Amino acid sequence: MSDKIFISIGPFTITWYALFILTGVVVAYELSQRTMKKWKYSSSVLEDYIIPMMFFGILGARLYYVIFEWDYYARFPEEIIKIWHGGLAIHGGLIAGVIFSIYYFKKKKISIYRMMDCILPNVMIAQAFGRWGNFMNQEAFGGVVSESFINHFPNFIKERMFINGAYHHPTFLYESVLNVIGFIVIYMIRKKGLKKQGDAGFMYLIWYGCIRFFIEGLRTDSLMLGPLRVAQLVSLIFIVVGILGLIGVGYIYSKPVVLFDLDGTLQDSKQMVMETFKQVFKERKPEITLSQDELDSFFGPTLEESFGKYFDESEIEGLIARYQEINLEMHHTMLHEIDHATEVLKQLKEDGYHMAIVSNKRRKAVELGVEVNHFEPYFEAILGKEDLPQPKPSGTGLIEACSRLNVSRDNVVYVGDAKGDMLAAKDVAMTCIGFSLEQKRLDQMKEANPDYLITDLREIIDIVKEKRTWNDTTIW
């Protein structure tokens, strides 16, 4: 059995080349899927992506190689489909992969820049594995070296780099190791936070472009375009594109979708809510006198959570019904907008921002609050508790809001007045703005590490004009 074959059972054969390439793809896929899970994307996004991506990547890598080796394949056309004999050009695979990725993620309404950050650094791991497939095929090696030089490497590498009567540079190993180092470097930078979407992808282009340019100068099997090494030309293009992308030349910034909490953010319902709780407790548990701290604790959690601290579970449904009766009666007399709320909403609407409300309150109460404050013209969607897959601090309601607005969830800022609001945005790696006039609530929100803390709603107008990425780039 050939030493290029990993296993052979009857007509069924798996080569080492295929095994290493597939292993690299699986590892890169799992690493990318791990990040997508943290961002709360459905696993189906990458599940539906990986198979066609592999097909187009391999097809592009093969076509690229065949085009530049056409003199050989014109004489032996039957060899064109025999990719197990080797002959996949990584640059061709990357180019085809990028074209397919742009199409796929645009169709899914997902930022291609963000997916570059998620996927491309992991491609370096796939490439690191793939180079060991070249090793097993005894291809992609460098020029002749002395035996004293090759003795610095393990014996199994030395033996396999003895080709056509001479030892050769194990360039497969150089590139494999440098790819792993590149992955680690970019991963560490990425963990600290990126300036904008796409930066990790641009770093990949620069890193891989540099190492491939260097490695290609050592190889003896370069694809040529006249006197020029094609891989070095393409590597230079990668480096230039990566540098321009990092410094922002030609970069397209997107306006964020602006999602709002309602109570405490756009409307001042504090006295009304406290008075409602007081009346419910006076009716149902008169022996309890609620302290100010206890009343403050009711802002943010759901009614189920708030009542659950004092009443049996069997009583909660009735308590909520009574709470709603009292609360809705007070809306027209005790509810009013937060200072400058209408002014801010009007300006954002005129500037073309998509907006929605995402609240843990029952939808009927949310809609009545919007009506009383005359906020209806400004919002394209209003979500109450019944509309949320899970209540905040889960961020699933923010994703649902984007779905209803028919917009990408990759450029979103959520404005709220509670720690739970900040945690909801963090839960789905979105940008968050904490607003309050009370220092205590600002301190509570600060614990969740919001992107901004403000005490005047008008600050939002300038914030959303910033040229930045509207998602949390520290969550990987």
Side-chain angles (χ1 to χ4, degrees):
M1 185 170 68
S2 169
D3 55 6
K4 295 182 181 181
I5 296 175
F6 170 66
I7 189 171
S8 182
I9 303 174
F12 180 74
T13 299
I14 298 177
T15 64
W16 281 104
Y17 187 75
L19 179 67
F20 278 115
I21 288 178
L22 289 174
T23 300
V25 169
V26 169
V27 172
Y29 169 79
E30 290 298 332
L31 288 171
S32 301
Q33 194 70 280
R34 181 183 175 208
T35 297
M36 295 288 276
K37 184 178 180 181
K38 289 184 178 180
W39 292 346
K40 296 297 188 294
Y41 279 99
S42 168
S43 60
S44 65
V45 173
L46 288 189
E47 287 170 359
D48 295 342
Y49 168 77
I50 187 64
I51 299 301
M53 174 66 211
M54 286 178 60
F55 171 78
F56 285 108
I58 292 172
L59 179 63
R62 186 59 170 176
L63 287 176
Y64 187 99
Y65 187 85
V66 168
I67 288 170
F68 289 102
E69 291 287 342
W70 183 245
D71 287 345
Y72 171 79
Y73 288 104
R75 288 183 288 119
F76 304 102
E78 70 277 5
E79 286 291 318
I80 292 176
I81 63 171
K82 296 180 181 179
I83 62 173
W84 53 89
H85 289 171
L88 295 177
I90 289 176
H91 282 140
L94 288 172
I95 293 168
V98 167
I99 293 171
F100 172 73
S101 298
I102 291 172
Y103 162 77
Y104 178 84
F105 291 118
K106 184 175 182 180
K107 185 178 179 181
K108 292 284 186 178
K109 293 186 172 66
I110 298 174
S111 167
I112 185 62
Y113 288 134
R114 200 175 189 196
M115 292 301 102
M116 284 170 57
D117 292 334
C118 176
I119 296 170
L120 281 182
N122 302 327
V123 169
M124 301 190 87
I125 295 296
Q127 291 171 314
F129 275 99
R131 283 309 178 196
W132 285 89
N134 296 136
F135 169 67
M136 297 305 297
N137 272 1
Q138 290 186 302
E139 60 186 9
F141 51 82
V144 173
V145 296
S146 66
E147 185 172 3
S148 62
F149 178 85
I150 205 71
N151 281 338
H152 291 95
F153 297 90
N155 197 55
F156 74 96
I157 291 179
K158 175 183 176 180
E159 291 177 356
R160 204 149 189 86
M161 286 296 98
F162 190 74
I163 303 168
N164 298 326
Y167 292 107
H168 291 261
H169 271 293
T171 48
F172 83 93
L173 180 64
Y174 305 159
E175 188 170 332
S176 182
V177 171
L178 288 170
N179 273 323
V180 173
I181 293 172
F183 168 79
I184 294 171
V185 169
I186 295 174
Y187 178 83
M188 292 173 66
I189 294 172
R190 195 175 65 171
K191 285 287 284 185
K192 292 182 178 180
L194 302 175
K195 182 180 179 182
K196 62 183 184 298
Q197 290 177 358
D199 278 357
F202 294 130
M203 283 186 274
Y204 162 84
L205 292 177
I206 296 170
W207 186 280
Y208 184 65
C210 288
I211 65 172
R212 185 58 191 274
F213 185 89
F214 164 70
I215 296 295
E216 199 65 25
L218 298 175
R219 283 175 53 169
T220 60
D221 60 345
S222 298
L223 300 177
M224 305 298 291
L225 184 62
L228 303 175
R229 295 175 186 255
V230 176
Q232 288 188 319
L233 288 175
V234 176
S235 294
L236 287 174
I237 294 172
F238 277 18
I239 295 168
V240 171
V241 171
I243 292 172
L244 293 177
L246 273 184
I247 64 179
V249 175
Y251 190 88
I252 301 173
Y253 289 92
S254 299
K255 282 184 177 180
V257 175
V258 187
L259 306 179
F260 288 92
D261 177 47
L262 184 59
D263 279 5
T265 304
L266 294 174
Q267 66 181 20
D268 186 349
S269 60
K270 185 172 184 178
Q271 293 303 317
M272 180 182 73
V273 170
M274 289 193 294
E275 186 59 34
T276 306
F277 273 109
K278 286 179 182 178
Q279 288 197 31
V280 173
F281 272 78
K282 185 177 181 180
E283 292 178 7
R284 303 297 176 90
K285 230 171 187 136
E287 68 276 14
I288 293 180
T289 301
L290 295 168
S291 68
Q292 188 59 50
D293 284 342
E294 287 175 311
L295 289 168
D296 289 340
S297 73
F298 295 147
F299 290 87
T302 62
L303 292 174
E304 286 86 350
E305 293 175 281
S306 295
F307 284 125
K309 292 187 292 185
Y310 300 90
F311 295 89
D312 293 335
E313 186 177 348
S314 60
E315 301 177 83
I316 290 177
E317 186 175 342
L319 287 162
I320 291 174
R322 181 56 182 150
Y323 176 97
Q324 295 284 15
E325 290 176 11
I326 297 171
N327 189 260
L328 292 175
E329 290 173 1
M330 294 180 178
H331 268 59
H332 290 280
T333 57
M334 296 190 68
L335 189 66
H336 57 87
E337 71 169 66
I338 296 287
D339 288 346
H340 311 298
T342 297
E343 175 187 345
V344 170
L345 295 175
K346 182 178 180 181
Q347 186 63 57
L348 292 175
K349 185 72 173 181
E350 290 176 355
D351 290 342
Y353 291 90
H354 294 287
M355 292 184 288
I357 287 176
V358 181
S359 172
N360 272 353
K361 293 181 66 174
R362 298 305 198 274
R363 190 192 309 113
K364 187 175 182 180
V366 174
E367 291 174 345
L368 183 55
V370 169
E371 178 186 335
V372 168
N373 290 293
H374 308 293
F375 292 153
E376 302 101 316
Y378 309 115
F379 293 105
E380 299 168 56
I382 297 173
L383 283 71
K385 181 179 181 296
E386 301 92 327
D387 305 300
L388 313 184
Q390 298 175 50
K392 296 177 290 184
S394 166
T396 53
L398 308 184
I399 296 175
E400 176 65 20
C402 293
S403 177
R404 296 193 182 196
L405 293 174
N406 196 30
V407 296
S408 169
R409 47 160 293 192
D410 295 312
N411 283 287
V412 179
V413 57
Y414 185 48
V415 186
D417 72 310
K419 183 178 178 180
D421 297 325
M422 304 300 100
L423 293 175
K426 294 286 182 181
D427 183 48
V428 288
M430 293 179 180
T431 306
C432 50
I433 300 177
F435 161 77
S436 184
L437 300 176
E438 301 176 17
Q439 189 59 48
K440 182 178 179 180
R441 294 185 73 77
L442 291 171
D443 291 340
Q444 290 172 344
M445 287 188 284
K446 193 173 183 180
E447 295 174 0
N449 193 30
D451 298 278
Y452 303 88
L453 279 177
I454 61 175
T455 56
D456 188 325
L457 283 178
R458 290 174 293 184
E459 295 179 59
I460 295 172
I461 295 172
D462 289 328
I463 289 174
V464 297
K465 291 178 182 177
E466 294 177 11
K467 287 189 174 181
R468 59 153 290 170
T469 291
W470 297 104
N471 64 276
D472 192 324
T473 62
T474 64
I475 297 175
W476 300 97

